[in-house]
């Protein structure tokens, strides 16, 4: 007999931005890395999606792949997908990267969904209510800032779950 057992259903986290090629894949990579870095690893279901469909099936933006790689995380195998109504049943926690995507998710959310929907930076002390700004039209410094923000959130999520 084990004195401790794992929960039957793993905690599940979905990150949602607009294109699913910059911010939310970085958030997914950062959380996978932070959860995996714990002693025995933290079992989680982690995914990301976009509210838009322009980039479905594509890998993350090369600049997002590069910044993740600089931080030791390989996100090159991720492929963009669009968020679906069923995601509100599959995930316990859905994090929007900014207010505009939070609004889009509120419109999509079925009334009976028990998923906890919030802004990603709400989990970071001193950053509640703030957006992870879209770095798509920015430069590598903007991607570095986005990484620092999603990684701070990933650390806070792991701390809350472990
Ligand atoms: P993301 O960035 O939402 O962080 O993936 C964007 C990627 C593509 C576009 C906008 C934002 N776009 O307009 O194509």
């Amino acid at each position: 007999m084990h004195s401790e057992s794992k929960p039957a259903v793993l905690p599940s986290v979905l990150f949602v931005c607009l294109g699913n090629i910059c911010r939310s894949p970085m958030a997914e990579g950062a959380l996978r890395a932070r959860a995996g870095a714990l002693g025995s690893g933290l079992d989680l279901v982690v995914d990301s999606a976009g509210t838009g469909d322009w980039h479905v099936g594509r890998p993350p933006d090369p600049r997002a792949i590069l910044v993740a790689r600089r931080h030791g995380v390989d996100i090159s195998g991720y492929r963009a997908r669009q968020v679906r109504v069923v995601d509100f049943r599959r995930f316990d926690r859905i994090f929007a990267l900014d207010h505009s995507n939070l609004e889009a998710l509120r419109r999509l959310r079925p009334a009976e969904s028990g998923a906890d929907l919030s802004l990603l930076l709400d989990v970071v002390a001193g950053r509640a209510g703030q957006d992870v700004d879209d770095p798509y039209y920015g430069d590598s410094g903007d991607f570095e800032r986005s990484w620092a923000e999603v990684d701070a959130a990933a650390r806070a999520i792991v701390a809350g779950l472990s």
Side-chain angles (χ1 to χ4, degrees):
M1 274 264 288
H2 294 287
S3 55
E4 251 179 87
S5 59
K6 290 192 171 182
V9 179
L10 297 177
S12 51
V13 179
L14 178 68
F15 299 105
V16 182
C17 62
L18 180 58
N20 192 209
I21 57 167
C22 298
R23 293 164 292 175
S24 63
M26 288 193 282
E28 178 183 347
L31 181 57
R32 288 185 185 283
R34 292 289 175 186
L38 289 184
S40 57
L42 175 63
D43 263 345
L44 279 178
V45 174
V46 186
D47 198 5
S48 63
T51 53
D53 66 356
W54 311 282
H55 302 284
V56 167
R58 304 242 177 89
D61 186 287
R63 298 164 296 175
I65 293 175
L66 204 62
V67 74
R69 188 174 294 145
R70 274 201 293 271
H71 292 274
V73 182
D74 180 9
I75 64 168
S76 63
Y78 298 1
R79 294 294 178 266
R81 73 170 180 90
Q82 191 172 27
V83 68
R84 298 182 292 259
V85 170
V86 72
D87 288 318
F88 287 89
R89 281 204 300 277
R90 293 205 178 131
F91 292 91
D92 328 302
R93 299 186 76 180
I94 301 179
F95 290 110
L97 275 284
D98 63 24
H99 281 86
S100 130
N101 289 295
L102 181 61
E103 281 313 311
L105 289 165
R106 284 187 176 139
R107 287 193 294 274
L108 188 67
R109 175 191 195 132
E112 74 280 8
S113 167
D116 179 356
L117 174 62
S118 62
L119 266 184
L120 181 61
L121 289 182
D122 284 352
V123 302
V124 178
R127 301 295 308 272
Q130 296 179 23
D131 291 343
V132 175
D133 289 327
D134 185 358
Y136 187 65
Y137 294 104
D139 59 20
S140 64
D142 295 304
F143 276 82
E144 273 294 344
R145 193 189 56 233
S146 299
W147 180 269
E149 292 172 339
V150 301
D151 190 43
R155 278 181 275 134
I157 292 167
V158 165
L161 288 171
S162 52

